[in-house]
């Protein structure tokens, strides 16, 4: 009898402690969400929405002329905010579309698994239903893989392409494993998964990554850009964790090597020379498609369009023949 009472007391204590732990994590999660979005930096004012079948896609259209679609990096912290430095000037000669990919920025963040082919279909549908004509595209990082796959699937929708520091082809070819599946389930788990996401994606880690990998000039890493990326990762009740788990578990990967052998689009790559690895990766793409032209911008890393917007625009105007069109 004493033993039974002793175990009941232990069970009750464990239940109470577990409940308090869950409640504490939930409160912390809500506080993180509040403080990450309270400034509302990524306001959807003056933006439009495309009611796509898998969620509403936030985009902005400006200027007139030959269309150019700007696609930010595939990162839970990224959004069309990346393009603020170049949109105004580029829209003087072209119709410029900036888009928040599904799971990013002000677009919807549905609770499902995100895949490379989902984004290929998004880009294809957006061009057909919103832009309505063949377009040039500039895409950053892993987002470039979606564009290449879209080029291979439909030759009629995309004209010239600029890839900005595209993802390593070997990394893109890696497929999900049992280990990555477990990681996805853990991150997507209610409360506990959200708490883990908040630990992995916080202001300090974002700022550290920007200083080490994203910017050559660390003076450009100010409070506003860090807060903007932090807000983007936590908008919509921190539902960005589902995209984060899909990226970490490799569901957004796709082997694009075969696509490079089957597309006839003009492809250009702009790399930040501040990180020698980007040029090595660009050479991988040239091995599969020798016609690719690679251009480096000195004193930049992951985001040359933010660090050196004027030089970046000069190359865009040359590669897309913008000057000759506007004359």
């Amino acid at each position: 009898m004493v033993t039974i009472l002793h175990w009941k007391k232990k069970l009750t204590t464990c239940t109470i402690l577990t409940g308090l732990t869950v409640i504490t994590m939930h409160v912390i999660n809500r506080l993180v969400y509040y403080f990450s979005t309270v400034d509302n930096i990524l306001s959807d004012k003056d933006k439009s929405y495309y009611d796509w079948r898998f969620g509403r896609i936030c985009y902005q259209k400006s200027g007139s002329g030959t269309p150019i679609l700007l696609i930010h990096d595939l990162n839970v912290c990224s959004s069309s905010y990346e393009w603020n430095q170049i949109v105004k000037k580029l829209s003087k000669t072209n119709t410029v579309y900036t888009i928040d990919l599904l799971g990013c920025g002000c677009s919807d963040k549905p609770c499902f698994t995100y895949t490379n082919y989902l984004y290929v279909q998004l880009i294809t549908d957006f061009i057909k239903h919103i832009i309505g004509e063949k377009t040039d595209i500039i895409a950053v990082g892993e987002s470039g893989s979606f564009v290449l796959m879209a080029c291979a699937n439909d030759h009629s929708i995309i004209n010239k392409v600029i890839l900005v520091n595209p993802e390593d082809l070997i990394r893109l070819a890696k497929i999900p494993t049992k280990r990555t599946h477990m990681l996805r389930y853990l991150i997507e788990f209610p409360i506990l998964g959200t708490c883990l996401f908040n630990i992995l994606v916080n202001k300090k880690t974002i700022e550290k990554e920007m200083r080490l990998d994203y910017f050559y000039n660390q003076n450009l890493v100010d409070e506003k850009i860090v807060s903007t990326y932090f807000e983007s990762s936590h908008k919509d009740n921190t539902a960005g964790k589902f995209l984060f788990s899909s990226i970490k578990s490799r569901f957004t990967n796709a082997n694009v090597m075969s696509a490079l052998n089957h597309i006839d689009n003009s492809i250009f790559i702009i790399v930040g020379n501040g990180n020698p690895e980007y040029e090595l990766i660009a050479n991988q793409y040239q091995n599969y498609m020798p016609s690719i032209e690679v251009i480096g911008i000195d004193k930049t890393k992951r985001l040359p369009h933010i660090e050196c917007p004027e030089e970046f625009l000069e190359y865009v105007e040359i590669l897309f023949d913008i000057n000759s069109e506007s004359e």
Side-chain angles (χ1 to χ4, degrees):
M1 187 68 176
V2 175
T3 303
I4 294 174
L5 289 174
H6 178 70
W7 278 108
K8 281 185 177 180
K9 186 176 180 181
K10 278 193 171 183
L11 182 61
T12 302
T13 302
C14 288
T15 302
I16 293 172
L17 289 175
T18 301
L20 288 174
T21 301
V22 171
I23 291 171
T24 301
M25 285 193 295
H26 177 68
V27 171
I28 292 172
N29 290 340
R30 297 308 300 170
L31 286 173
V32 171
Y33 170 70
Y34 172 77
F35 285 114
S36 64
T37 59
V38 66
D39 294 328
N40 194 28
I41 302 170
L42 293 172
S43 171
D44 60 358
K45 183 181 178 182
D46 300 326
K47 294 185 180 180
S48 303
Y49 282 89
Y50 165 43
D51 290 318
W52 192 43
R53 51 184 165 165
F54 293 111
R56 298 178 77 218
I57 305 300
C58 182
Y59 73 95
Q60 191 164 13
K61 175 184 176 182
S62 55
S64 61
T66 304
I68 297 178
L69 174 60
L70 306 179
I71 305 176
H72 62 79
D73 194 5
L74 184 69
N75 186 311
V76 71
C77 301
S78 297
S79 69
S80 56
Y81 176 84
E82 273 188 22
W83 303 107
N84 283 0
Q85 300 275 19
I86 71 169
V87 167
K88 186 176 180 180
K89 185 174 180 181
L90 198 56
S91 62
K92 291 179 179 178
T93 54
N94 296 77
T95 304
V96 180
Y97 294 85
T98 58
I99 184 175
D100 284 348
L101 293 173
L102 193 72
C104 301
C106 295
S107 290
D108 282 353
K109 302 183 178 184
C111 305
F112 57 40
T113 300
Y114 295 75
T115 67
N116 185 286
Y117 300 100
L118 175 79
Y119 289 111
V120 172
Q121 194 59 57
L122 169 58
I123 291 169
T124 301
D125 289 346
F126 186 83
I127 294 172
K128 289 182 176 180
H129 300 154
I130 301 299
I131 298 178
E133 59 181 304
K134 202 169 187 177
T135 184
D136 294 326
I137 295 182
I138 306 175
V140 183
E142 189 175 340
S143 295
S145 66
F146 315 145
V147 177
L148 294 176
M149 296 293 285
C151 287
N153 289 343
D154 191 338
H155 299 283
S156 67
I157 60 173
I158 299 172
N159 189 21
K160 296 180 180 180
V161 175
I162 295 176
L163 305 177
V164 182
N165 293 321
E167 189 57 75
D168 187 322
L169 289 173
I170 297 174
R171 197 199 72 80
L172 281 174
K174 291 182 178 180
I175 62 174
T177 63
K178 289 183 179 179
R179 180 174 172 273
T180 62
H181 274 290
M182 290 181 62
L183 177 63
R184 179 169 67 90
Y185 291 135
L186 180 60
I187 295 173
E188 293 180 359
F189 200 79
I191 302 180
L192 176 61
T194 303
C195 188
L196 176 60
F197 174 75
N198 289 334
I199 292 171
L200 295 174
V201 185
N202 59 67
K203 255 189 166 183
K204 287 186 177 180
T205 57
I206 291 171
E207 182 176 356
K208 181 179 179 181
E209 185 175 15
M210 284 185 168
R211 292 187 181 279
L212 292 177
D213 303 323
Y214 275 57
F215 287 87
Y216 181 89
N217 180 3
Q218 295 192 10
N219 292 327
L220 295 176
V221 183
D222 57 19
E223 174 64 22
K224 184 176 181 181
I225 194 168
V226 173
S227 296
T228 302
Y229 273 61
F230 185 46
E231 179 180 316
S232 178
S233 65
H234 286 77
K235 281 182 73 70
D236 200 6
N237 290 312
T238 318
K241 72 174 186 176
F242 293 93
L243 171 59
F244 182 80
S245 69
S246 296
I247 294 172
K248 292 299 182 183
S249 54
R250 302 176 182 170
F251 280 92
T252 57
N253 285 3
N255 190 336
V256 299
M257 298 176 193
S258 60
L260 287 168
N261 292 322
H262 293 93
I263 62 178
D264 56 8
N265 302 73
S266 295
I267 308 294
F268 310 97
I269 295 179
I270 295 179
V271 298
N273 285 340
N275 186 343
E277 182 183 357
Y278 293 141
E279 187 173 356
L280 295 176
I281 293 172
N283 291 336
Q284 291 178 349
Y285 285 76
Q286 282 184 316
N287 289 336
Y288 287 91
M289 191 175 178
S291 62
I292 291 177
E293 182 178 349
V294 179
I295 297 167
I297 298 181
D298 293 332
K299 296 183 179 180
T300 67
K301 286 189 176 180
R302 182 78 172 182
L303 306 172
H305 48 297
I306 294 181
E307 287 204 82
C308 291
E310 293 183 1
E311 187 175 352
F312 184 86
L313 276 169
E314 287 177 5
Y315 287 123
V316 171
E317 290 171 353
I318 293 170
L319 299 176
F320 284 172
D321 298 320
I322 291 176
N323 289 332
S324 61
E325 289 177 4
S326 61
E327 289 177 355

